[in-house]
Amino acid sequence: DAGVIQSPRHEVTEMGQEVTLRCKPISGHNSLFWYRQTMMRGLELLIYFNNNVPIDDSGMPEDRFSAKMPNASFSTLKIQPSEPRDSAVYFCASSIYKNNEQFFGPGTRLTVL
Amino acid sequence: GQQLNQSPQSMFIQEGEDVSMNCTSSSIFNTWLWYKQDPGEGPVLLIALYKAGELTSNGRLTAQFGITRKDSFLNISASIPSDVGIYFCAGLRFGNEKLTFGTGTRLTIIP
């Protein structure tokens, strides 16, 4: 069975550019989570969705970050405009709603120059 | 955001040795999860614990849900080279879907 799929795996962009990260959750999972991982702050939850509806976006750092889930099999995390301090690894995870086991994708390593 | 205290931060062991690590919190959790992360990859779920006192094994890995509900432990027996990586604990409070992650334990095996 396919796990969580993320694309791209690596993204290098210049400050000010728009960045879009993509995620396909595990089929049948109806909760989706976006995380950011850095050396300084570890794994931080940015936002999560249940049944395509955003439930908690309190971890989104600022208005430059936005996330959507237009359907059960696709989500995007967008940063516009990007800044060097956004450089990190961004993970998507999915789970079955109310089942606590979250399964992570391979991540997108973002570098903003 | 809040992180769980995980110790040790790093371990250097020889192949074949047993490993123990733990995770502590000042507050109660209702679920404990243990993940392993390899370089360049996402965390992989190893073991999930749902009940205070529960002891669960997955091959050479054994994890326990502390009876106070404020801690959890992970043991690896007879370590092998592929055990190298960073191990994270994560806790979940009742009625909450937001995982709180530990700071990680980096395991290195000395040849």
Side-chain angles (χ1 to χ4, degrees):
Chain A
D1 286 342
V4 175
I5 297 172
Q6 289 187 248
S7 66
R9 290 297 309 273
H10 301 273
E11 176 83 32
V12 180
T13 191
E14 291 189 340
M15 183 173 65
Q17 296 297 307
E18 177 180 296
V19 174
T20 300
L21 311 181
R22 296 173 176 80
C23 175
K24 178 177 166 52
I26 292 172
S27 178
H29 283 194
N30 46 11
S31 292
L32 184 140
F33 305 80
W34 281 102
Y35 290 88
R36 178 170 68 176
Q37 186 178 40
T38 60
M39 289 292 292
M40 292 296 294
R41 299 171 68 91
L43 270 162
E44 303 173 277
L45 178 66
L46 301 177
I47 184 172
Y48 77 94
F49 297 82
N50 284 340
N51 295 312
N52 313 339
V53 176
I55 302 301
D56 188 329
D57 65 354
S58 59
M60 296 285 260
E62 46 198 276
D63 291 345
R64 297 184 297 107
F65 286 68
S66 63
K68 292 183 181 177
M69 191 163 187
N71 58 62
S73 58
F74 183 65
S75 177
T76 59
L77 177 68
K78 188 175 291 188
I79 309 172
Q80 165 63 16
S82 57
E83 296 182 3
R85 61 192 165 123
D86 301 331
S87 298
V89 182
Y90 291 81
F91 289 104
C92 175
S94 71
S95 70
I96 296 171
Y97 179 52
K98 298 235 171 172
N99 179 320
N100 302 321
E101 298 173 20
Q102 294 182 20
F103 294 86
F104 283 75
T108 295
R109 180 174 293 276
L110 174 65
T111 303
V112 183
L113 303 172
Chain B
Q2 178 195 356
Q3 288 186 318
L4 299 169
N5 296 316
Q6 204 171 328
S7 67
Q9 274 193 325
S10 57
M11 302 183 75
F12 296 84
I13 63 167
Q14 292 193 319
E15 185 176 347
E17 283 186 39
D18 295 344
V19 171
S20 291
M21 61 188 79
N22 67 73
C23 199
T24 60
S25 170
S26 57
S27 52
I28 288 173
F29 287 92
N30 291 85
T31 298
W32 286 96
L33 305 174
W34 283 93
Y35 287 86
K36 176 176 182 271
Q37 187 174 20
D38 290 330
E41 299 295 331
V44 173
L45 183 62
L46 300 173
I47 292 180
L49 302 160
Y50 293 99
K51 211 167 151 183
E54 179 182 350
L55 191 70
T56 297
S57 293
N58 177 5
R60 293 177 297 104
L61 277 61
T62 302
Q64 183 161 24
F65 192 139
I67 56 173
T68 66
R69 295 169 138 194
K70 294 183 180 180
D71 54 13
S72 180
F73 309 88
L74 177 69
N75 296 314
I76 305 172
S77 63
S79 57
I80 60 176
S82 62
D83 291 334
V84 165
I86 303 177
Y87 291 80
F88 290 99
C89 62
L92 206 58
R93 293 186 178 85
F94 180 76
N96 193 329
E97 293 179 275
K98 296 167 70 168
L99 283 176
T100 300
F101 277 88
T103 46
T105 294
R106 182 183 294 273
L107 179 64
T108 303
I109 293 185
I110 306 165

